[in-house]
C-alpha cells in the first residue's frame, strides 16, 4: 500500500469513527473540504522524495522530520521527540539515571572531567577535575560527539566500563567503574552569614524534596538564627509545573500560586498554596535573570504577586506556556503547547517576562552572539494575551537592558558574595540585612 492509499484509508477510518457525531455532509466537509487534497499533497511529495532524491532516504527520518516541522511551526516549544530524545527528556525530569557521576565537556576531541559528583562511582574511583578521558572500553573518543560519549558512559546499574584517563604529565592509566544510580542534584545550599542561600538549577521530580532538605539543613547549621533566605533561580530554564507549584508553596501559607488556561475555558485549572510556610515568615529575596524561564517564572511571579519576596536581578525570559508530553507508542512522543499560565494577579508573562523589583545588572554579563533576546525573539512565539495587566515592578525601569537567554548548560553564579563579586547576590544580602525584603504574605 502506498503512503497515499494509507493516508486515505486512515481518513476513511476516521470518517467511520466520527460518523455518529456528524450530520449532513461527510467527514471531509466537517473537517474542511481541502483536508483530503492536503493529505494527498503530502503523500505525493513523500513518494517523489523517496523515488527521485539524489540519495536513498529511509522512511522514518522523513516522517519524523515532517512531524517535527508540523509541530515546531506552531510555537518554539512544540515538537516531535524520537525515542532517544524522549528517553533523554525522561532522564532529565526523573533526576536520576544509571551512570558514573561525572560532569564532562569536550576539549580538543577528548572528554574532559569538569567535576565528579560526590558519592558516585567517579568520585570513589578518584577521578579529578581536568582529567582527560581518551578511551571508553578501549574505543577512542577522538571524533566522537559528546552526547555519544555520555550515552556510552551511562547504562544499566551494576555493569562495568573501562575508562582510559590522561592526567597532566602523568602516564595514561585505566580505571574500571561500576555504574550506579546517579541522582542529579537540582538544589544546592549554603549559609551566607546569617542568611540561607538556596540555588535551584532545574525543576525535576526531586526538586521539592531537595528544597525541603536544604532549608532544614540551613536551620540546623544556623542554630535557628537565620534572618532570611535568598532563592537563586538565575539561569534556571524551568522543568515540571508540579514542582514549581510545590516550591512556591514552600514559602506561601495561602492563596493562588498559578492558573493554567487552555483553549477550552472549562479546562482552566487553579493551584493554591497549602497551609504552612517552611521559611517561618522570614523575608525572602529571589534572584532572577534572562535565563530564568517557565517554572522559574511561575515561582518568582507567585512570590512577587503575594508580596512574599522581593525580586532582584534582570528581566526574566518570558516563557508563559505549558507543554504536555504525549507518548506515541513505539515511536517516542509529541510535545504540544496546551495552555498558558498566569500569575495570581491574572497576568501572563508570555513574551514579556517578569521584571524584578530591584534591577541589578551583573558586571561582565554579556550575550553570546546569536543568542535569543527572550521568548519574544523566538520564531512563532505566542503573543501575550494580558497586555493590560502590568505588575508595578514593570514600571520601575522600563528601559532596562533586554534579558539574557536560557542556556543548556547551567553555570553556577560566582559564589563569593561576601566580597561583592556577585553583584546581584550582594544586593539581595544587603536588602535582607537592611530589613527591606518582604517578610509576610499580603492579605488576599
Amino acid at each position: 500500500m502506498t503512503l497515499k492509499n494509507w493516508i486515505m484509508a486512515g481518513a476513511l477510518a476516521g470518517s467511520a469513527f466520527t460518523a455518529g457525531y456528524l450530520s449532513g455532509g461527510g467527514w471531509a466537509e466537517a473537517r474542511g473540504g481541502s483536508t483530503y487534497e492536503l493529505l494527498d499533497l503530502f503523500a505525493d511529495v513523500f513518494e517523489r522524495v523517496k523515488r527521485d532524491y539524489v540519495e536513498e532516504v529511509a522512511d522514518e527520518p522523513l516522517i519524523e522530520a515532517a512531524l517535527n516541522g508540523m509541530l515546531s511551526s506552531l510555537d518554539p516549544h512544540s515538537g516531535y521527540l524520537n525515542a532517544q530524545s524522549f528517553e533523554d527528556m525522561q532522564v532529565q525530569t526523573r533526576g536520576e539515571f544509571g551512570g558514573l557521576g561525572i560532569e564532562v565537556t569536550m576539549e580538543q576531541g577528548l572528554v574532559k572531567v569538569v567535576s565528579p559528583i560526590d558519592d558516585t562511582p567517579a568520585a570513589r574511583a578518584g577521578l579529578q577535575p581536568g582529567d582527560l578521558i581518551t578511551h571508553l572500553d578501549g574505543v577512542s573518543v577522538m571524533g566522537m560527539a559528546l552526547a555519544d560519549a555520555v550515552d556510552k558512559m551511562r547504562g544499566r546499574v551494576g555493569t562495568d566500563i573501562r575508562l582510559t584517563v590522561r592526567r597532566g604529565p602523568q602516564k595514561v592509566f585505566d580505571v574500571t567503574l561500576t555504574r550506579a544510580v546517579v541522582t542529579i542534584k537540582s538544589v544546592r545550599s549554603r549559609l551566607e552569614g546569617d542568611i540561607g542561600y538556596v540555588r535551584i538549577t532545574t525543576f525535576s521530580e526531586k526538586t521539592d524534596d531537595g528544597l525541603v532538605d536544604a532549608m532544614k539543613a540551613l536551620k540546623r547549621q544556623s542554630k535557628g538564627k537565620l534572618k532570611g533566605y535568598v532563592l537563586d533561580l538565575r539561569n534556571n530554564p524551568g522543568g515540571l509545573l508540579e514542582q514549581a507549584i510545590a516550591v512556591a508553596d514552600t514559602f506561601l501559607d495561602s492563596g493562588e500560586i498559578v492558573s493554567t488556561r487552555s483553549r477550552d475555558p472549562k479546562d482552566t485549572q487553579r493551584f493554591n498554596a497549602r497551609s504552612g510556610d517552611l521559611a517561618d515568615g522570614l523575608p525572602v529575596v529571589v534572584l532572577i535573570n534572562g535565563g530564568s524561564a517557565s517554572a522559574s517564572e511561575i515561582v518568582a511571579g507567585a512570590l512577587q504577586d503575594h508580596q512574599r519576596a522581593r525580586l532582584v536581578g534582570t528581566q526574566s525570559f518570558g516563557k508563559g506556556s505549558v507543554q504536555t508530553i504525549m507518548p506515541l507508542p513505539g515511536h517516542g512522543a509529541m510535545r504540544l503547547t496546551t495552555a498558558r499560565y498566569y500569575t495570581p494577579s491574572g497576568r501572563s508573562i508570555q513574551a514579556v517576562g517578569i521584571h524584578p523589583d530591584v534591577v541589578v545588572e551583573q558586571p561582565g554579563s554579556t550575550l553570546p552572539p546569536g543568542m535569543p533576546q527572550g521568548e519574544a525573539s523566538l520564531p512563532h512565539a505566542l503573543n501575550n494575551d494580558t497586555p493590560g495587566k502590568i505588575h508595578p515592578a514593570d514600571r520601575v525601569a522600563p528601559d532596562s537592558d533586554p534579558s539574557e537567554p536560557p542556556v543548556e548548560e547551567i553555570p553556577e553564579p560566582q559564589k563569593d558574595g561576601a566580597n561583592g563579586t556577585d553583584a546581584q547576590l550582594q544586593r539581595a544580602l544587603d536588602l535582607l540585612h537592611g530589613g527591606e525584603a518582604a517578610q509576610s504574605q499580603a492579605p488576599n
Side-chain angles (χ1 to χ4, degrees):
M1 178 182 289
T2 65
L3 178 65
K4 185 187 301 185
N5 290 334
W6 181 86
I7 289 176
M8 295 299 289
L12 290 172
S15 176
F17 180 77
T18 58
Y21 300 92
L22 301 177
S23 59
W27 181 84
E29 181 181 346
R31 295 292 301 271
S34 63
T35 301
Y36 282 135
E37 288 83 356
L38 293 175
L39 290 172
D40 199 34
L41 171 64
F42 176 80
D44 281 340
V45 172
F46 180 87
E47 290 179 0
R48 290 193 183 195
V49 170
K50 289 286 295 177
R51 184 181 67 240
D52 298 331
Y53 185 63
V54 65
E55 295 179 353
E56 186 175 353
V57 185
D59 291 355
E60 188 171 13
L62 281 178
I63 295 296
E64 287 183 355
L67 293 172
N68 194 53
M70 173 175 61
L71 293 167
S72 62
S73 70
L74 300 174
D75 67 86
H77 309 292
S78 294
Y80 174 74
L81 303 172
N82 61 26
Q84 183 60 54
S85 298
F86 185 34
E87 183 179 344
D88 291 344
M89 186 215 68
Q90 289 174 304
V91 166
Q92 292 177 0
T93 56
R94 282 197 306 268
E96 63 180 30
F97 56 90
L100 307 178
I102 43 176
E103 298 177 9
V104 295
T105 187
M106 217 65 171
E107 183 175 288
Q108 298 179 349
L110 300 177
V111 176
K112 181 179 180 179
V113 176
V114 175
S115 176
I117 300 172
D118 291 343
D119 196 29
T120 63
R124 290 190 287 269
L127 290 184
Q128 300 177 8
D131 284 350
L132 295 173
I133 299 172
T134 63
H135 293 74
L136 300 172
D137 279 335
V139 178
S140 174
V141 302
M142 186 66 70
M144 188 182 296
L146 180 60
D148 293 334
V150 169
D151 284 343
K152 289 182 179 296
M153 288 187 282
R154 290 181 179 175
R156 186 164 52 86
V157 172
T159 58
D160 292 343
I161 183 171
R162 187 176 83 257
L163 274 55
T164 302
V165 180
R166 190 170 75 203
R167 179 177 296 164
Q170 299 179 24
K171 185 178 179 180
V172 173
F173 61 93
D174 287 346
V175 57
T176 299
L177 285 75
T178 302
R179 296 179 179 92
V181 174
V182 176
T183 300
I184 300 171
K185 192 173 183 180
S186 63
V187 180
R188 298 182 177 92
S189 64
R190 66 179 186 270
L191 282 175
E192 287 279 348
D194 51 8
I195 304 298
Y197 170 88
V198 180
R199 171 160 169 73
I200 300 178
T201 59
T202 187
F203 289 86
S204 66
E205 291 180 2
K206 300 180 181 297
T207 298
D208 180 45
D209 291 340
L211 175 61
V212 171
D213 290 343
M215 293 181 69
K216 289 179 178 178
L218 289 170
K219 289 178 182 179
R220 290 195 304 270
Q221 293 165 16
S222 67
K223 296 181 172 53
K225 297 180 180 180
L226 283 176
K227 290 187 176 180
Y229 290 92
V230 173
L231 179 62
D232 191 347
L233 300 179
R234 291 175 294 180
N235 293 322
N236 181 325
L240 297 176
L241 173 64
E242 64 201 44
Q243 289 294 307
I245 293 168
V247 167
D249 193 5
T250 301
F251 298 95
L252 293 172
D253 192 53
S254 62
E256 184 177 297
I257 293 173
V258 68
S259 64
T260 62
R261 306 176 198 172
S262 305
R263 186 167 65 182
D264 188 342
K266 295 194 297 292
D267 293 332
T268 296
Q269 291 184 291
R270 299 184 183 278
F271 301 90
N272 297 312
R274 297 165 297 180
S275 178
D277 173 4
L278 193 60
D280 300 320
L282 290 175
V284 179
V285 172
V286 178
L287 298 179
I288 60 171
N289 65 3
S292 306
S294 193
S296 298
E297 294 172 297
I298 289 175
V299 174
L303 298 184
Q304 185 183 54
D305 277 6
H306 284 293
Q307 300 177 32
R308 179 64 185 90
R310 296 195 75 181
L311 273 53
V312 171
T314 55
Q315 187 174 340
S316 65
F317 189 72
K319 181 182 177 294
S321 60
V322 180
Q323 284 67 48
T324 300
I325 305 299
M326 305 175 183
L328 302 170
H331 293 285
M334 61 185 289
R335 181 175 55 226
L336 188 67
T337 299
T338 53
R340 286 181 169 92
Y341 72 76
Y342 300 81
T343 70
S345 64
R347 60 182 169 133
S348 166
I349 58 87
Q350 171 61 27
V352 174
I354 292 178
H355 203 286
D357 302 292
V358 181
V359 177
V360 179
E361 299 287 346
Q362 190 78 313
S365 177
T366 58
L367 280 174
M371 293 297 284
Q373 303 275 339
E375 174 82 5
S377 70
L378 298 177
H380 313 300
L382 297 174
N383 294 325
N384 187 293
D385 63 341
T386 62
K389 293 195 174 184
I390 302 175
H391 191 274
D394 293 333
R395 300 188 178 94
V396 174
D399 297 323
S400 60
D401 289 341
S403 63
E404 298 177 11
V407 291
E408 292 183 3
E409 292 184 2
I410 305 168
E412 280 289 308
Q414 294 173 318
K415 292 184 176 182
D416 191 2
N419 63 16
T421 56
D422 185 338
Q424 293 167 339
L425 175 58
Q426 186 60 45
R427 185 70 176 108
L429 297 175
D430 290 344
L431 287 171
L432 289 165
H433 285 134
E436 300 177 63
Q439 186 162 358
S440 61
Q441 185 173 341
N444 296 310

